[in-house]
Amino acid sequence: MSVSNPTDIAEVKERNRALIQEVLAVYPEKTAKRRAKHLNVHEEGKSDCGVKSNIKSIPGVMTIRGCAYAGSKGVVWGPIKDMIHISHGPVGCGQYSWASRRNYYVGTTGIDTFGTMQFTSDFQEKDIVFGGDKKLAKIIDEIQQLFPLNKGISVQSECPIGLIGDDIEAVSKAKSREYDGKTIVPVRCEGFRGVSQSLGHHIANDAIRDWVFDKSEGKAPAFEPSPYDVAIIGDYNIGGDAWSSRILLEEMGLRVIAQWSGDGTIAELEATPKAKLNVLHCYRSMNYISRHMEEKYGTPWVEYNFFGPSKIAESLRKIASYFDEKIQAGAEAVIAKYQPLMQAVIDKYKPRLAGKTVMLYVGGLRPRHVIGAYEDLGMNVVGTGYEFGHNDDYQRTAQHYVKDGTLIYDDVTGYEFEKFVETVKPDLVGSGIKEKYVFQKMGVPFRQMHSWDYSGPYHGYDGFAIFARDMDMAINSPVWKMAPTPWKDSGSDYLAIAAE
Amino acid sequence: MPQDPNQVKDHFTLFREPEYKELIANKRAKFEGRHDVAEVERVVEWAKTEEYKELNFSREALTVNPAKACQPLGAVFAAVGFEKTLPFVHGSQGCVAYYRSHFSRHFKEPTSCVSSSMTEDAAVFGGLNNMIDGLANTYSMYKPAMIAVSTTCMAEVIGDDLNAFIKTAKEKGSVPEEFDVPFAHTPAFVGSHVTGYDNAMKGILEHFWDGKAKTVPALVRQPNAKINFLGGFDGYTVGNLREVKRIFETMKVEYTILGDNSDVWDTPTDGEFRMYDGGTTLEDAANAVHARATISMQEYCTEKTLPFIANHGHETVAFNSPIGIEATDRFIMEVARLAGVEIPDSLARERGRLVDAIADSNAHIHGKKFAIYGDPDLCYGLAQFIMELGGEPIVVLSTNGGKAWAAKMQDLFDSSPFGAGCKAYPGKDLWHMRSLLFTEKPDFLIGNTYGKYLERDTGVPLIRLGFPIFDRHHKHRYPIWGYQGALNVLVTILDRIFEHMDATTDGIATTDYSFDIIR
């Protein structure tokens, strides 16, 4: 059953609506009422997806969401490679998020780069009782002794910090003065703040504004400005995504002066206000700082989508439209250069994937941004939802991406997602590590769409070839045919066969 | 254009193409504001020195790359080992996302667990409503037979009282009065994941044995012939528990595994997702009070649970992740003694096969120096086995090991000539280990996946044994306990040694002579 087939649309919508009612029936009344607002069947022409979002998760339902700390340390700050990010509080948060997000970088880890390390204040009971400020001060001293080449320090607050009344701002300021104005950034990203990772992104953005930009104003960048300077905002270089994006921007004649924050450095953050244009990939996690730079420095920003050749071409042209004819011609040249490669990829994989259906449930921009890449391969996304999206995400999704009848699920629960997939029976599910094995047990092909399932990059033209290969290997793997036990098949008469 | 549709290049090869090398070098040179290469080199070399090690060991506040996690992870581990039990962690929801991810990355299996999703308002007013709503939702959606509650540090800091909250939730009808909701306070700022295992396991047994939070009479122990078995927090739980069950059955021992998570983290792919599978039945968990004795395979995972059980009249015996001949001998003989059974000849033959394997291979291990890190019990078991193999565990480090553990390790070292000069490092982390690898120069490192960074930085080959193992698959399916388990550990160690031998003798026209085909 495919939503792309217009004769079936009414039927699909009917089924999806019934499905939503079916899952709601399991909940206590109050919960059903609340969850009903997060589930919908998309109606073509509507300005958003008709769901409520960015609302507290309901206790006990098995939400897939994380927390503000995950949004700040795990997403925004963690990839800044030449700074040391202290997971401030008990040991767990830093441990579970240690190097698991695949933010690629190059550098001498432990000496001048620190991306795949776990620095923690490992709070003990006495730190909770007496406060952790003295310990934090000492930690900063010890970092300065043992890691003298670090270019800055951030303090990523875990839950207890805000509850015990620690003044990490005062400690950061005092230590910054002591170390000649060193960048030390206190971040109030305690996990209980907000409803998901999302507030953590916002808090992290604000911390850059207040503790990096304001401090570095007037500081000249190490390079001569050019009219073609841009900054990549909201690409975390997962599996090398930012590199396979950067190469295209450079090929069209732009100069990338900063990457936020995959493979990024403090120098790049500081130089960003000098950019002529901020190109924004993950709107959700970095629109805040983009808006700030627009207001304060007059830097325009433009959203782009580097998944799949259709969206890449559209985005390259859109970015080029902010520049002169040279860059516009550059964009056309880049599109033309990669066109044969893209055609070859599509010729190879589309026959194996056309008509296949996909259900997505991811974070950030991916629940909408990857839809075009699937469509380039002839596939249809029949359900999608955001872990921590806001209404502006659902607006973009409705206006530019999803088709009529698509099942929409915001902050989906484990139960709902399982039931949806059971009934809709997509050919592929794209979600996270917590979901992967649930669906694979059910015999449904799966790709992790946070970590690219340890593959990637998926961004850019080079990335699309990998994306296509990976979707093909997931869906067309021989393993799925082997899942049913043959002698449990009602038509199987193995005793008779054996007797022959 | 580096990409090739017929031979797609992903991150392994794409970024080594000239276009990308240039891109990365250009970014570095023009925009990153990096230190001079010479300065970086100077610090690289300095970080290898005794001087750096001393500075490193003088740390009092900073922890870098610890080899431990927090309590609730252990609580979730313990809870999923019971029949149709859903772990419920009271506090912030992000924690639960982390535990589930962590276990799924290790076992390559789903891990079901819910959170009470406390946010700022709960921080101010307490999480009672989250408990009330949470239990009701969990109960109606996932239809568990038991909900095992533990806490994140948030709930602990604000002082939520689980006993009172659960009682109130039951009064409000979240779950039926008689529904089992054992609980344990598991503050992340005390101990580590092994402590959380201990607290949660004790909480579950206390619930069943001591009158379900004063709602029913406590059970009166009527001793029977059974032996209880506690595996502790164990990354090899799937393989180990199945092996232990096989041994018990071979020995005709009546047993109860308390917290049997071997099935829930090893369900088949056959078209059906089993949210719950296997596990100790709740009836068995309750009846375990009547057992004649209880064995803990990991002393430091059961520091509270085992005395609690002993107080109920059981004889208790604790091991330290027994690996190898002597430790397994003691385990088998203690089981036989406690259960009053003969040890079958088949186990003597298994033992003999392990001795045979050691005799065949020990020459490659004898005299080699090892650095080991991990949970306290695993470190002990591995160090003991290494010494049996003629190896020297010169550095044994446990971030969550304490002074008592270090003293116990020293006694172990003192018991063998191969322990001379060996040292235990309690409460230290993997950045300490990095210094030790440079200054003490062991031949091999034994540890979990994070050890790969140490291997890269120091050149000491890593033998992956521990938790978590994220970057190798299916290791958890193979036991490390029992004679069969020790054989797996032996082969794991040998494979890495042989690989290292080949990798360091494969120089053409330079080291042809040692590149042997028979080893």
Side-chain angles (χ1 to χ4, degrees):
Chain A
M1 193 180 286
S2 156
V3 287
S4 67
N5 186 341
T7 56
D8 287 335
I9 285 259
E11 202 182 306
V12 166
K13 284 183 175 176
E14 187 59 30
R15 179 207 59 191
N16 286 350
R17 283 193 200 100
L19 190 48
I20 289 171
Q21 291 313 311
E22 190 191 321
V23 299
L24 290 173
V26 77
Y27 292 112
E29 198 185 332
K30 187 168 95 177
T31 307
K33 220 169 149 185
R34 287 173 66 184
R35 281 304 305 159
K37 296 174 185 162
H38 298 266
L39 307 173
N40 196 29
V41 181
H42 179 62
E43 291 288 340
E44 198 159 63
K46 290 278 169 70
S47 65
D48 63 24
C49 299
V51 291
K52 295 273 185 202
S53 57
N54 196 31
I55 294 174
K56 272 197 286 193
S57 302
I58 300 169
V61 297
M62 211 173 328
T63 173
I64 290 160
R65 283 174 167 177
C67 64
Y69 164 89
S72 176
K73 187 266 184 178
V75 175
V76 175
W77 277 105
I80 303 293
K81 65 181 177 178
D82 58 352
M83 290 178 70
I84 285 175
H85 310 289
I86 304 165
S87 292
H88 191 41
V91 70
C93 317
Q95 202 70 4
Y96 309 124
S97 58
W98 179 5
S100 56
R101 213 162 170 264
R102 302 187 67 236
N103 311 108
Y104 279 3
Y105 67 90
V106 282
T108 309
T109 300
I111 306 298
D112 71 343
T113 44
F114 310 95
T116 50
M117 294 177 71
Q118 133 73 329
F119 292 84
T120 172
S121 44
D122 188 15
F123 260 35
Q124 301 300 303
E125 197 146 26
K126 63 178 190 307
D127 303 313
I128 301 288
V129 175
F130 300 110
D133 285 341
K134 280 187 185 150
K135 188 173 198 178
L136 177 60
K138 193 161 205 173
I139 283 171
I140 292 171
D141 292 341
E142 290 177 355
I143 284 175
Q144 289 300 95
Q145 285 178 345
L146 286 167
F147 305 97
L149 300 188
N150 83 79
K151 291 273 184 130
I153 294 168
S154 80
V155 182
Q156 305 288 328
S157 301
E158 300 172 6
C159 287
I161 304 307
L163 299 171
I164 61 176
D166 274 11
D167 191 352
I168 59 169
E169 289 80 7
V171 176
S172 301
K173 276 183 194 157
K175 282 290 158 191
S176 176
R177 275 196 300 274
E178 189 181 328
Y179 292 110
D180 305 322
K182 184 180 191 66
T183 300
I184 302 178
V185 184
V187 190
R188 287 287 180 177
C189 55
E190 288 90 342
F192 61 81
R193 293 193 197 279
V195 303
S196 67
Q197 292 93 313
S198 185
L199 188 63
H201 305 142
H202 198 154
I203 291 167
N205 278 222
D206 289 354
I208 297 174
R209 178 193 67 199
D210 297 342
W211 298 82
V212 178
F213 281 174
D214 289 1
K215 195 178 157 65
S216 60
E217 254 171 43
K219 199 167 158 181
F223 53 83
E224 279 298 311
S226 92
Y228 302 123
D229 290 352
V230 298
I232 293 177
I233 311 286
D235 190 322
Y236 302 103
N237 207 32
I238 291 167
D241 280 338
W243 294 329
S244 59
S245 301
R246 182 184 186 108
I247 201 165
L248 302 180
L249 298 174
E250 289 183 348
E251 279 182 21
M252 70 192 268
L254 298 172
R255 189 170 78 156
V256 179
I257 63 166
Q259 278 177 212
W260 290 51
S261 54
D263 192 38
T265 57
I266 184 79
E268 290 168 73
L269 295 187
E270 288 175 353
T272 304
K274 306 282 185 276
K276 301 295 182 293
L277 178 71
N278 283 326
V279 298
L280 175 59
H281 207 233
C282 183
Y283 170 84
R284 180 72 277 128
S285 59
M286 286 201 174
N287 77 86
Y288 318 101
I289 199 73
S290 305
R291 291 175 197 280
H292 170 72
M293 283 189 266
E294 182 176 42
E295 281 165 28
K296 179 133 191 208
Y297 310 107
T299 317
W301 54 278
V302 58
E303 288 175 64
Y304 70 105
N305 177 350
F306 270 7
F307 289 102
S310 303
K311 289 292 172 189
I312 297 173
E314 193 182 307
S315 296
L316 289 175
R317 290 185 176 118
K318 189 159 72 170
I319 292 168
S321 73
Y322 286 78
F323 295 94
D324 58 18
E325 285 167 3
K326 183 189 141 205
I327 299 298
Q328 287 164 20
E332 293 307 324
V334 170
I335 294 164
K337 174 185 163 188
Y338 285 94
Q339 203 279 331
L341 170 71
M342 290 300 96
Q343 197 55 52
V345 169
I346 289 167
D347 288 347
K348 182 173 177 185
Y349 292 105
K350 194 169 178 176
R352 302 166 62 81
L353 296 171
K356 302 285 186 192
T357 56
V358 187
M359 289 178 78
L360 297 170
Y361 182 72
V362 221
L365 53 99
R366 292 164 179 178
R368 63 176 178 275
H369 265 200
V370 297
I371 290 175
Y374 284 112
E375 288 175 351
D376 284 336
L377 294 167
M379 300 167 74
N380 298 306
V381 173
V382 297
T384 193
Y386 291 80
E387 234 180 80
F388 47 81
H390 298 205
N391 197 42
D392 48 8
D393 292 303
Y394 284 103
Q395 284 168 351
R396 285 164 167 75
T397 308
Q399 292 163 16
H400 304 292
Y401 289 97
V402 289
K403 291 178 177 159
D404 200 21
T406 303
L407 186 59
I408 305 288
Y409 30 86
D410 177 72
D411 185 20
V412 80
T413 68
Y415 176 85
E416 288 163 359
F417 202 12
E418 192 191 325
K419 293 293 158 200
F420 289 161
V421 170
E422 241 171 50
T423 304
V424 176
K425 294 186 176 56
D427 298 299
L428 179 74
V429 174
S431 190
I433 183 69
K434 304 190 290 298
E435 296 70 62
K436 179 181 174 79
Y437 303 105
V438 170
F439 296 116
Q440 290 190 174
K441 302 283 179 193
M442 289 163 62
V444 180
F446 188 97
R447 286 297 295 187
Q448 288 184 67
M449 294 302 280
H450 299 260
S451 66
W452 304 149
D453 235 318
Y454 323 121
S455 177
Y458 281 176
H459 291 177
Y461 290 119
D462 288 338
F464 179 67
I466 304 163
F467 174 85
R469 178 200 67 178
D470 289 354
M471 298 312 137
D472 174 49
M473 80 162 84
I475 290 176
N476 293 312
S477 163
V479 69
W480 308 117
K481 288 197 182 76
M482 296 186 267
T485 314
W487 58 88
K488 290 197 169 179
D489 181 340
S490 58
S492 166
D493 193 0
Y494 55 89
L495 289 174
I497 295 165
E500 271 171 14
Chain B
M1 186 162 13
Q3 193 55 283
D4 175 356
N6 295 313
Q7 191 63 52
V8 172
K9 296 186 185 80
D10 59 20
H11 59 87
F12 288 105
T13 48
L14 184 66
F15 302 129
R16 298 176 196 197
E17 294 289 327
E19 292 91 334
Y20 280 101
K21 277 186 172 166
E22 192 192 327
L23 176 149
I24 289 167
N26 192 41
K27 175 177 185 294
R28 184 192 168 99
K30 290 188 180 143
F31 304 107
E32 292 187 354
R34 306 300 288 278
H35 294 281
D36 288 344
V37 175
E39 175 66 353
V40 173
E41 267 314 302
R42 185 191 66 77
V43 178
V44 165
E45 292 308 315
W46 173 59
K48 296 176 182 172
T49 60
E50 281 285 349
E51 180 198 336
Y52 188 89
K53 185 179 97 178
E54 267 179 44
L55 198 59
N56 192 7
F57 272 77
S58 68
R59 266 190 281 147
E60 290 174 355
L62 172 67
T63 299
V64 185
N65 299 350
K68 67 170 180 182
C70 67
Q71 278 212 49
L73 184 81
V76 172
F77 183 100
V80 299
F82 291 85
E83 173 196 10
K84 289 189 77 178
T85 295
L86 197 51
F88 181 112
V89 189
H90 182 55
S92 300
Q93 70 192 16
C95 311
V96 168
Y98 278 144
Y99 315 142
R100 296 179 68 208
S101 301
H102 208 65
F103 283 130
S104 287
R105 288 175 178 140
H106 175 80
F107 290 112
K108 317 295 179 198
E109 292 286 323
T111 302
S112 297
C113 177
V114 296
S115 161
S116 66
S117 294
M118 284 165 66
T119 53
E120 277 165 304
D121 52 346
V124 178
F125 302 109
L128 176 59
N129 287 333
N130 298 67
M131 180 70 77
I132 293 169
D133 291 349
L135 287 179
N137 287 324
T138 302
Y139 180 77
S140 47
M141 291 172 76
Y142 297 111
K143 308 195 169 35
M146 174 160 93
I147 299 174
V149 180
S150 57
T151 48
T152 77
C153 54
M154 178 200 183
E156 288 299 319
V157 171
I158 64 174
D160 279 4
D161 179 349
L162 292 182
N163 190 18
F165 280 19
I166 293 166
K167 199 160 166 268
T168 309
K170 285 189 168 184
E171 283 162 13
K172 301 252 181 195
S174 297
V175 295
E177 280 291 343
E178 68 283 3
F179 185 77
D180 292 309
V181 188
F183 63 89
H185 288 274
T186 50
F189 44 81
V190 176
S192 71
H193 55 289
V194 302
T195 324
Y197 171 93
D198 193 15
N199 283 329
M201 185 57 75
K202 177 168 169 278
I204 291 168
L205 297 180
E206 207 165 18
H207 171 82
F208 285 109
W209 296 3
D210 288 356
K212 305 191 172 186
K214 294 184 185 146
T215 58
V216 296
L219 298 178
V220 179
R221 179 167 176 256
Q222 290 165 333
N224 59 26
K226 282 192 162 183
I227 305 290
N228 294 331
F229 179 90
L230 290 156
F233 190 105
D234 172 23
Y236 299 91
T237 186
V238 170
N240 273 342
L241 291 181
R242 287 184 184 155
E243 180 63 10
V244 165
K245 284 190 263 189
R246 188 188 66 86
I247 291 170
F248 284 161
E249 277 152 28
T250 306
M251 295 175 76
K252 303 196 167 31
V253 172
E254 290 181 65
Y255 65 91
T256 303
I257 307 278
L258 291 170
D260 181 357
N261 32 34
S262 60
D263 280 345
V264 74
W265 275 321
D266 193 19
T267 61
T269 284
D270 60 357
E272 181 194 347
F273 163 53
R274 296 163 177 82
M275 184 165 165
Y276 311 105
D277 202 8
T280 310
T281 66
L282 304 189
E283 196 185 349
D284 283 350
N287 287 334
V289 71
H290 306 305
R292 74 161 65 168
T294 297
I295 291 171
S296 164
M297 218 53 162
Q298 300 197 74
E299 179 187 3
Y300 296 104
C301 293
T302 52
E303 287 182 302
K304 287 181 190 156
T305 304
L306 214 52
F308 164 83
I309 292 172
N311 281 339
H312 283 72
H314 293 214
E315 180 172 0
T316 59
V317 179
F319 297 89
N320 301 96
S321 191
I323 298 169
I325 297 291
E326 197 187 324
T328 310
D329 288 350
R330 194 181 143 235
F331 169 66
I332 298 289
M333 289 191 287
E334 280 291 76
V335 170
R337 179 183 70 78
L338 293 169
V341 297
E342 296 273 321
I343 301 171
D345 198 45
S346 63
L347 282 176
R349 290 184 69 92
E350 281 183 29
R351 181 185 188 280
R353 289 186 198 115
L354 175 61
V355 176
D356 181 68
I358 294 171
D360 295 347
S361 311
N362 75 91
H364 292 293
I365 300 174
H366 194 102
K368 296 258 185 333
K369 293 180 167 63
F370 293 82
I372 302 171
Y373 72 85
D375 285 344
D377 293 293
L378 182 63
C379 279
Y380 190 98
L382 288 170
Q384 188 176 12
F385 189 36
I386 289 292
M387 294 198 299
E388 281 184 343
L389 299 171
E392 298 167 25
I394 59 166
V395 169
V396 181
L397 178 148
S398 185
T399 310
N400 48 352
K403 280 184 190 150
W405 168 80
K408 192 167 183 135
M409 287 304 310
Q410 191 55 51
D411 289 347
L412 177 68
F413 298 145
D414 293 343
S415 72
S416 162
F418 296 96
C422 297
K423 196 175 166 192
Y425 295 85
K428 298 300 174 193
D429 58 41
L430 300 188
W431 199 254
H432 293 114
M433 179 61 101
R434 190 178 189 269
S435 281
L436 291 167
L437 294 179
F438 282 123
T439 59
E440 312 306 301
K441 301 191 181 353
D443 298 300
F444 292 92
L445 169 67
I446 298 181
N448 62 15
T449 277
Y450 300 113
K452 78 191 292 176
Y453 296 127
L454 293 169
E455 180 179 38
R456 177 184 65 184
D457 291 0
T458 66
V460 180
L462 171 66
I463 298 164
R464 281 174 178 75
L465 285 163
F467 175 90
I469 303 288
F470 290 155
D471 64 339
R472 296 293 185 272
H473 291 195
H474 308 305
K475 302 300 175 193
H476 65 277
R477 298 174 193 272
Y478 299 91
I480 62 169
W481 294 338
Y483 300 114
Q484 290 296 123
L487 188 62
N488 288 333
V489 174
L490 175 66
V491 172
T492 302
I493 294 169
L494 285 168
D495 279 350
R496 188 70 190 87
I497 290 176
F498 290 136
E499 278 166 24
H500 185 65
M501 277 180 192
D502 288 345
T504 50
T505 56
D506 65 354
I508 297 168
T510 52
T511 58
D512 316 67
Y513 40 84
S514 301
F515 196 62
D516 281 311
I517 141 164
I518 307 161
R519 296 211 192 267

